[in-house]
Amino acid sequence: MTEKPITASPMTEMPSRRSFIKLVAVTGAAVTLGGRVAAQTASSPAKSGDLLVYQDGPQKGQVVKVADLKEGAAVWAQAVDPATKKPRDAMKSGVVIVRLKPSEIKASSQKNAVNGVVAYSSVCTHQGCPAKEIGSIGQGKGNIICTCHGSIYDPRDNATVLGGPAPRRLPALPLKTDAAGELVAAGEFTGKIGPK
């Protein structure tokens, strides 16, 4: 018995020019869309469920607990991926956490606060210096200050700019707590991090 030579069927032959153009267009769109999604994911310095850990001091690396925060004091922390314990973006994931009297928190900040605690990006919107301290004198007293150029933000009112060269408020990081009272991000930052 002789075997027939293998030949390509009409369906497996080279695609028509029209089919080829469609295939290239669909593939290009998929690659572009995939690139955009990846870029957005990579640029999100905090996500819901991220833990907030101390960035300095004797508790550096430990998760911040509401019970450990003093009213009117600031804590410099960082949002970290709970799976890797590392920041998603080391340059933009810093936060300044402030515990306030719940009655002091204005409506603009209440939706992002938990148990009297608010958190904002610690990257000044002027030139990107750390804005991580509470001022003790003058207009800065009780407010978040940037010690580089003197920008002042109101932690009670969604980090509204009170003074200095900052062009806009600090983005808020919505908060929640877990069963152990540890601070956890409830979402992404509410705006662009740092200067334009």
Side-chain angles (χ1 to χ4, degrees):
M1 182 171 177
T2 59
E3 294 184 13
K4 292 182 180 177
I6 299 174
T7 59
S9 71
M11 296 300 290
T12 60
E13 291 181 0
M14 295 293 291
S16 69
R17 182 174 178 204
R18 179 175 287 177
S19 297
F20 180 75
I21 290 171
K22 283 182 182 178
L23 178 64
V24 169
V26 169
T27 304
V31 168
T32 301
L33 183 60
R36 286 185 184 162
V37 170
Q40 289 172 355
T41 300
S43 66
S44 300
K47 293 185 174 184
S48 181
D50 281 0
L51 302 172
L52 300 183
V53 300
Y54 289 91
Q55 256 200 88
D56 62 1
Q59 294 174 291
K60 183 176 180 178
Q62 295 179 20
V63 179
V64 179
K65 293 183 177 181
V66 173
D68 295 339
L69 299 174
K70 295 179 182 175
E71 220 170 69
V75 165
W76 191 28
Q78 191 169 37
V80 299
D81 183 334
T84 65
K85 305 290 191 260
K86 294 182 178 178
R88 297 179 192 279
D89 183 333
M91 300 299 290
K92 295 182 177 179
S93 62
V95 294
V96 55
I97 299 170
V98 183
R99 186 168 191 175
L100 302 163
K101 291 179 182 174
S103 61
E104 293 179 333
I105 300 175
K106 297 189 177 177
S108 60
S109 291
Q110 287 179 355
K111 65 181 176 184
N112 296 320
V114 64
N115 300 331
V117 179
V118 292
Y120 302 97
S121 166
S122 63
V123 182
C124 183
T125 60
H126 175 226
Q127 290 192 0
C129 292
K132 59 183 178 94
E133 298 178 21
I134 293 293
S136 59
I137 58 171
Q139 190 180 18
K141 187 172 182 178
N143 295 307
I144 300 167
I145 58 170
C146 172
T147 55
C148 287
H149 304 101
S151 294
I152 302 170
Y153 304 92
D154 186 350
R156 295 164 291 277
D157 189 13
N158 207 21
T160 297
V161 179
L162 298 175
R168 65 183 195 286
R169 68 182 73 219
L170 298 170
L173 183 65
L175 297 175
K176 60 184 178 182
T177 56
D178 64 12
E182 297 174 333
L183 285 176
V184 178
E188 296 183 1
F189 284 102
T190 58
K192 183 181 181 306
I193 306 295
K196 289 183 179 180

